[in-house]
Amino acid sequence: MRILVVNPNTTRSMTDKAAEAARAVAGAGTQIMAATSQMGPASIEGHYDGALALPGLLAEIRAGEKAGAQAAVIACFDDTGLDAARALAGIPVLGLCESALVTAGFLAQRFTVVTTLERSRVLLENLTRHYGFGGRAKVRAADIPVLELEDEHSGAIGKLRRQIELALQEDGAEAIVLGCAGMADLAFALQEDYGVPVIDGVSAAVKQAEALIAQRLTTSKRGSYATPLAKVYLGAMAGFAPRDK
Amino acid sequence: MRILVVNPNTTRSMTDKAAEAARAVAGAGTQIMAATSQMGPASIEGHYDGALALPGLLAEIRAGEKAGAQAAVIACFDDTGLDAARALAGIPVLGLCESALVTAGFLAQRFTVVTTLERSRVLLENLTRHYGFGGRAKVRAADIPVLELEDEHSGAIGKLRRQIELALQEDGAEAIVLGCAGMADLAFALQEDYGVPVIDGVSAAVKQAEALIAQRLTTSKRGSYATPLAKVYLGAMAGFAPRDK
Amino acid sequence: MRILVVNPNTTRSMTDKAAEAARAVAGAGTQIMAATSQMGPASIEGHYDGALALPGLLAEIRAGEKAGAQAAVIACFDDTGLDAARALAGIPVLGLCESALVTAGFLAQRFTVVTTLERSRVLLENLTRHYGFGGRAKVRAADIPVLELEDEHSGAIGKLRRQIELALQEDGAEAIVLGCAGMADLAFALQEDYGVPVIDGVSAAVKQAEALIAQRLTTSKRGSYATPLAKVYLGAMAGFAPRDK
Amino acid sequence: MRILVVNPNTTRSMTDKAAEAARAVAGAGTQIMAATSQMGPASIEGHYDGALALPGLLAEIRAGEKAGAQAAVIACFDDTGLDAARALAGIPVLGLCESALVTAGFLAQRFTVVTTLERSRVLLENLTRHYGFGGRAKVRAADIPVLELEDEHSGAIGKLRRQIELALQEDGAEAIVLGCAGMADLAFALQEDYGVPVIDGVSAAVKQAEALIAQRLTTSKRGSYATPLAKVYLGAMAGFAPRDK
Amino acid sequence: MRILVVNPNTTRSMTDKAAEAARAVAGAGTQIMAATSQMGPASIEGHYDGALALPGLLAEIRAGEKAGAQAAVIACFDDTGLDAARALAGIPVLGLCESALVTAGFLAQRFTVVTTLERSRVLLENLTRHYGFGGRAKVRAADIPVLELEDEHSGAIGKLRRQIELALQEDGAEAIVLGCAGMADLAFALQEDYGVPVIDGVSAAVKQAEALIAQRLTTSKRGSYATPLAKVYLGAMAGFAPRDK
Amino acid sequence: MRILVVNPNTTRSMTDKAAEAARAVAGAGTQIMAATSQMGPASIEGHYDGALALPGLLAEIRAGEKAGAQAAVIACFDDTGLDAARALAGIPVLGLCESALVTAGFLAQRFTVVTTLERSRVLLENLTRHYGFGGRAKVRAADIPVLELEDEHSGAIGKLRRQIELALQEDGAEAIVLGCAGMADLAFALQEDYGVPVIDGVSAAVKQAEALIAQRLTTSKRGSYATPLAKVYLGAMAGFAPRDK
């Protein structure tokens, strides 16, 4: 199996971390194809960054499918561009948030997502509701700029631990979901320390990708995710115009 | 008052129609500034078109605010890019779907949105839920490609009328919401014919824009819509990078 | 435009305050017609007062429409009698709570309503759910009897500020809604002080009334708000009996 | 036990029918005190009638409590004035809709309420949601003016049967709730005919009243239903003013 | 009337306590038939105990119906086996949780369930949502093993009181529901002490049973609770096989 | 990896079919351990069969874990005993319904579950809501007794196809979920015929089991699924008593 992992921001070190997490859980026969967006923000913090990350993300999805990927993972916990990528691609596309929430749902009745910045908290609350976990998942922000996760001296991990502890004490959390692709390397150690399941979205999404490929399932092209209709796109977006088949 | 109406697709005739609808309802002292996206799809039909319309849309929002607009309306019923625009702009930003739903909500307990293509139906159902109207609003698709609304010989209006009639008979609709900016010119005639309120999103959004300006209210910059953090954007998106103030 | 603002309690100073707030935001061509209920409670604090305020309220709505009002605003945050008034009147009728919530919804993802007494808190929570804002709006009571808002030495404003501060700290509120018509004069100063949008229901409702008039929209008479059927009313209510047209 | 059954409309024959239904199910030691509103509409059809029925209803609740009633039933399926009556009275107050829904909920997972007029359908849908049965109960209107239920030649029963049959065929209804106090005499025969539980609200509410009395439970006076605060009421409502204890 | 009260655990002292509570509220003509499960756990604490209590519970329901019971109450607050018992029996079957929640719902808008162990808290939260009280009821666990309620020196009552006090202070509870059959003897004293309604599930369910019998209502056999189809059961469960009628 | 697939009914041919489906999608290194319940019903059709299947199911889960299984799948679409099994086992436990719904959720916005008998339809509707798919998934019953799926001449497949066609035409289904373990062999052919994803629960659950093992995740023992407390179990259930560790 060949699974594409796209980092929709332009920071290569985050791509590397996601690819490493992906390879750590992938099956013996799975090849992880890692790609970094070539245009857009260096990190995705809030709605504006998310919107401008889309062209770069969709370009990588399209290129990866052409290069033989059988499924794609968007390595951002906001599930940026997930619906658009599903409409575009003939292969299944997985998001980190959706994958992590359903994984947590198999293990616990109540859990907490710990994310980076306050500006992403409500965005993720809305996502958890959209995915049907509104009554089961709480969301906490640890006040960590995304790129501080790349710097081991930033104090970011201490802030993250503090929110996990509050989730266990105050939220009645039975499991923890790490709400940023940049936390992928921390899941197993935190799970050992706190004695509850700690779910990383990259790992969860890669296993869902394998599961779909093995079941010969792909995105429905009936209704919501129908193939984009051929039409003219102008200006800097001209290259993205869908063509007739 | 100066209100920007941005058409997030690149079809100028749709901009003209939206501007005309806007001017028809605007207050005496309101100036409508109409803008057409310079990059992206010729019409927005589904998630993929919507994603690639974002850079062009956000560029016009930014330019319009700089040119003195006091509020902005995104003239697409999918509310494409609404959250990102609210984060970007210092002025309030209105979407057609949200504005039309709340307007209908003042007039009727149950109503039906009639949109263009099946691929947009579930997208709008999800929006109605997000805005809190899940239990009150149904969504119907009339099987009309968006640009056929620009051609009076396309039969589009007949299809639209058919769905309105079904909404009244089968959904118990007490009002009708027109689910595409390209239907803005039809609202009043349909209201006369069917004897129930028929709401056009462009008109609704322009009046909401005026209402917010008059109340000296603008988007909260606390939490979800905080001003984008300064950072590097690469490639074709470099020009969109937020700067420190 | 002529917009009726009805105070459904019998305290004239509250009518004056509401009328002042209405005039401060109304368009140049809008005339505010203020009316005070002639029968019922001096303030509306809970379900019982609300029920007995209805005849006086509906009498003023009927009189106002006959006197040429093109829309009516019920100047009580409980939206007392809103459904009955919509059934009665041929003109659109706006409530403060509904108008303020949708206004806040354009500016913020999460917000808090601060109202007067604990007995109104759950009533307003139920209203926020009915209007579809259950997942977005919290409600706090400041322990202020309504008429203390008319007395600047009562300490009421200090209690109100305390709850706003708690909303910002504990609720993650991105905006504040003032949950009583008697707070209409405070909104702008509080907005300046706290740096988040502060929404007053009277102002919001007046602008919605103008918006509906400009769009030539009025309450649907199909279904929920159908014109009352002609029938006999007995006793003190005899004068309210609907007549055949 | 003494249970007050108040008909909030002024039609005595409906009071008699409700009292008969109440006595048919009441326990051996229960005395049914029937009262008819002395002011207000002859039938309650929609929001406007419901609003103007409140003073007459509340007067009877107050008088009944003074006369020794230990619980009160409001014999209208709209649960008109239920919250206000609970705030007013020291004794528990039951509504037909709430009582019938919870009774149906003990017997069936899914059921349908059949009511009179289309204008009451959405009102009852909203009530079913408010009481937590939104996902379990459907509402159908049989197009019967309320007072036609008092006339055996009106064809009303045929229309009612037609909707019950549709509920069984199309809604998957496992039980039927009769959505008008004026249908109280029909429940048992319809149950025999259709072989599913058919619930009458008057009967259900009377048994709930007995249940609460036996458990020595009454309305909480903490929060939502706190005793009305003493204050001045003006005009025709002066007699309803709450007094200090 | 003859009402069966089944204790689905095997601890006779809890059966005695439930029977006593039942008799304290039952009508003059009601006979309480108490039964204790003969196989399964000594107390039901969490999902596993609940699952293994089912055969013993269902055996008692079947035997009780054969012995002439006209309704059955399952004396466990988890409503263990309620759906299965309803499918099995021709008589109505009541659960404590459902009965107590609807009883509280007649008395208060918001209330709190206080249960025993943390492992039952989310289970009861899910039940409150299933019954439609998700927005009205909170659940607290007092950290009391069920059988400690049988020992007056265990300190259990102090822990229970502590949670009631927190419910009043922090949850805005207007009433309290006791979330364990083993608390049935405490309700009235706690109600006196705290001045809010305190609902015991055994009492509530017995009165609901009487109410259904008086209304000649029983479980619908259409759909969800259809009579089990005749089939072979193997092994230790062979005796439970449904037979053709 | 060693994954236990337990058929909670006693029909060996259904176990074989489930095991075959499991092996068809399992990874190269995965061993499927199939087990058939030794006590309980020959098929699970409704709540009563489901309740009596629990001891046999839990016995196989316990035996399978002892025999070295690293995860368990309960091969019944009702997710019978899932919560109890999760509390019991130290290994993760998957249900068919939950696994299939989340799988469908990655591929489609709206989908329909087609199950066997009407008595299971509402049960599955309630499950879809519990798992957060209430707004996305419809449920249809094909009127097929479970064991007819084992007989190719029963006409069962025709009935199933008929409901799939109605789901596509009337529900706007973008994908189909097969709502019975006995349909596991049909998924791929139906997917080919109808051109939309067709999800089989056994396949979906096996892949979820592999995914959890690969991520070193297991059921949280904090809160809802805490290890059963040691206590006495009486009678035929004595062997199930939890012991102290």
Side-chain angles (χ1 to χ4, degrees), chain A residues 100-109 111 133 136, chain F residues 86 98 225:
Chain A
L101 293 177
V102 306
T103 299
F106 291 127
L107 306 171
Q109 284 281 339
F111 48 92
F133 288 86
R136 296 173 65 186
Chain F
R86 283 179 176 162
E98 190 178 19
Y225 299 130

Coordinates of all heavy atoms in Angstrom, one line a residue, chain A residues 100-109 111 133 136, chain F residues 86 98 225:
Chain A
A100 N -8.9 10.7 14.8 CA -8.5 10.6 16.2 C -9.8 10.5 17.0 O -9.8 9.8 18.0 CB -7.7 11.8 16.6
L101 N -10.8 11.3 16.7 CA -12.0 11.2 17.5 C -12.7 9.9 17.4 O -13.1 9.3 18.5 CB -13.0 12.3 17.0 CG -12.7 13.8 17.2 CD1 -13.8 14.7 16.6 CD2 -12.5 14.1 18.7
V102 N -12.8 9.3 16.2 CA -13.4 8.0 16.2 C -12.5 6.9 16.9 O -13.1 6.0 17.5 CB -13.8 7.5 14.7 CG1 -14.6 8.6 14.1 CG2 -12.6 7.2 13.9
T103 N -11.2 7.1 16.8 CA -10.4 6.2 17.5 C -10.6 6.3 19.0 O -10.8 5.3 19.7 CB -8.9 6.4 17.2 OG1 -8.7 6.2 15.7 CG2 -7.9 5.5 17.9
A104 N -10.6 7.5 19.5 CA -10.9 7.7 21.0 C -12.2 7.1 21.3 O -12.4 6.5 22.4 CB -10.8 9.2 21.3
G105 N -13.2 7.2 20.4 CA -14.6 6.8 20.7 C -14.6 5.3 20.9 O -15.6 4.8 21.5
F106 N -13.7 4.5 20.4 CA -13.7 3.1 20.6 C -13.1 2.7 22.0 O -13.2 1.5 22.4 CB -12.8 2.4 19.5 CG -13.3 2.4 18.1 CD1 -12.5 2.9 17.1 CD2 -14.6 1.9 17.9 CE1 -13.0 2.9 15.8 CE2 -15.1 1.9 16.6 CZ -14.3 2.4 15.5
L107 N -12.5 3.6 22.6 CA -11.7 3.4 23.8 C -12.3 4.0 25.1 O -12.0 3.6 26.2 CB -10.3 3.9 23.7 CG -9.6 3.3 22.4 CD1 -8.3 4.1 22.3 CD2 -9.4 1.8 22.5
A108 N -13.1 5.0 24.9 CA -13.6 5.8 26.0 C -14.9 6.4 25.7 O -15.2 6.7 24.5 CB -12.6 6.9 26.3
Q109 N -15.7 6.7 26.7 CA -17.0 7.4 26.5 C -16.8 8.9 26.5 O -17.6 9.6 25.9 CB -18.0 7.0 27.7 CG -18.6 5.6 27.5 CD -19.7 5.6 26.5 OE1 -20.3 6.6 26.2 NE2 -20.0 4.5 25.9
F111 N -13.8 12.1 26.5 CA -12.4 12.4 26.4 C -12.2 13.9 26.1 O -13.1 14.6 25.8 CB -11.7 11.5 25.3 CG -12.5 11.5 24.0 CD1 -12.2 12.3 23.0 CD2 -13.5 10.5 23.8 CE1 -12.9 12.3 21.8 CE2 -14.2 10.4 22.6 CZ -13.9 11.3 21.6
F133 N -19.4 14.1 18.0 CA -18.8 13.9 19.3 C -19.0 15.1 20.3 O -18.4 15.2 21.3 CB -17.3 13.6 19.2 CG -17.0 12.3 18.6 CD1 -16.9 12.1 17.2 CD2 -16.8 11.2 19.4 CE1 -16.7 10.8 16.7 CE2 -16.6 9.9 18.9 CZ -16.5 9.7 17.5
R136 N -19.5 14.2 23.8 CA -18.5 13.3 24.4 C -17.1 13.9 24.6 O -16.3 13.5 25.4 CB -18.3 12.0 23.6 CG -19.6 11.2 23.6 CD -19.5 10.0 22.6 NE -18.5 9.1 23.0 CZ -18.2 8.0 22.2 NH1 -18.8 7.8 21.1 NH2 -17.3 7.1 22.7
Chain F
R86 N -16.2 -4.3 27.0 CA -15.1 -3.3 27.2 C -14.7 -3.2 28.7 O -13.5 -3.0 29.0 CB -15.5 -2.0 26.6 CG -15.4 -1.9 25.1 CD -15.8 -0.6 24.5 NE -15.6 -0.7 23.0 CZ -16.2 0.2 22.2 NH1 -17.0 1.1 22.6 NH2 -15.9 0.0 20.9
E98 N -20.8 0.4 15.4 CA -19.9 1.5 15.6 C -18.8 1.6 14.5 O -18.5 2.6 13.9 CB -19.3 1.5 17.0 CG -18.5 2.8 17.4 CD -18.0 2.7 18.8 OE1 -17.8 1.5 19.3 OE2 -17.7 3.7 19.4
Y225 N -15.4 2.4 31.7 CA -15.1 1.0 31.5 C -14.1 0.5 32.5 O -13.3 -0.4 32.2 CB -14.5 0.9 30.1 CG -15.4 1.3 29.0 CD1 -15.0 2.1 28.0 CD2 -16.7 0.7 28.9 CE1 -15.9 2.5 26.9 CE2 -17.6 1.1 27.9 CZ -17.2 2.0 26.9 OH -18.0 2.3 25.9

